[in-house]
Amino acid sequence: VDAFMRSGKLSASDGQPLIAGATVAVNELPVIVFGNVDSRASIAVLDASTPSVFGLSQNYPNPFNPTTAIQFSVITGGRVSLTVYSTLGEEVARLIDSDVPSGSYEIRWDASTLQSGIYFYRLLTGDFVETKKLILMK
């Protein structure tokens, strides 16, 4: 909404109520405390209902500078690990490594301490493993 207001495609008088409504909706989400979350990352519950499939979405925006969002879904609660690797396979960030109840989540990650380049992120939970590519472009 903010981007549309800055571009002039949405007036402030139309955009402010949307931002206010979104803020209220976000504040209504259940608060779940997760252990072992990277200090440069924050996690939010998108939907606490049980999804039909495990999933890892492509980060957005991609390419990004310096923050990006990664969404994932878990069918059954349990240990979830979301790790970022360099192209050499070196771990550069462990965004979460914690027990997570079933649901859909979004992690916002600040990669400002890393150099521009291609990185890979991998979600591991139970028998589900998926890896995707992200591009940090400063």
Side-chain angles (χ1 to χ4, degrees):
V1 172
D2 187 49
F4 283 112
M5 289 182 352
R6 280 185 276 143
S7 71
K9 295 179 180 178
L10 183 66
S11 71
S13 62
D14 290 335
Q16 290 302 329
L18 293 172
I19 291 173
T23 301
V24 169
V26 167
N27 290 336
E28 293 296 318
L29 291 173
V31 175
I32 300 174
V33 177
F34 299 97
N36 300 323
V37 176
D38 186 288
S39 63
R40 297 166 296 170
S42 63
I43 186 167
V45 179
L46 296 178
D47 187 351
S49 64
T50 303
S52 57
V53 295
F54 283 103
L56 177 64
S57 297
Q58 183 64 50
N59 69 300
Y60 64 90
N62 193 33
F64 69 100
N65 176 28
T67 60
T68 190
I70 301 169
Q71 294 182 357
F72 65 92
S73 299
V74 292
I75 298 173
T76 56
R79 194 70 169 186
V80 171
S81 174
L82 183 60
T83 310
V84 180
Y85 297 93
S86 71
T87 55
L88 299 175
E90 299 166 324
E91 182 178 314
V92 297
R94 185 167 297 227
L95 304 183
I96 186 169
D97 187 11
S98 181
D99 288 330
V100 174
S102 65
S104 297
Y105 301 89
E106 178 178 86
I107 290 186
R108 293 202 166 272
W109 178 50
D110 181 348
S112 57
T113 60
L114 297 177
Q115 295 181 359
S116 295
I118 297 172
Y119 295 88
F120 297 92
Y121 59 103
R122 181 182 71 179
L123 178 70
L124 172 63
T125 179
D127 293 333
F128 179 81
V129 178
E130 190 168 353
T131 303
K132 295 197 181 277
K133 177 174 70 172
L134 54 81
I135 301 169
L136 173 59
M137 189 178 296
K138 292 185 176 182

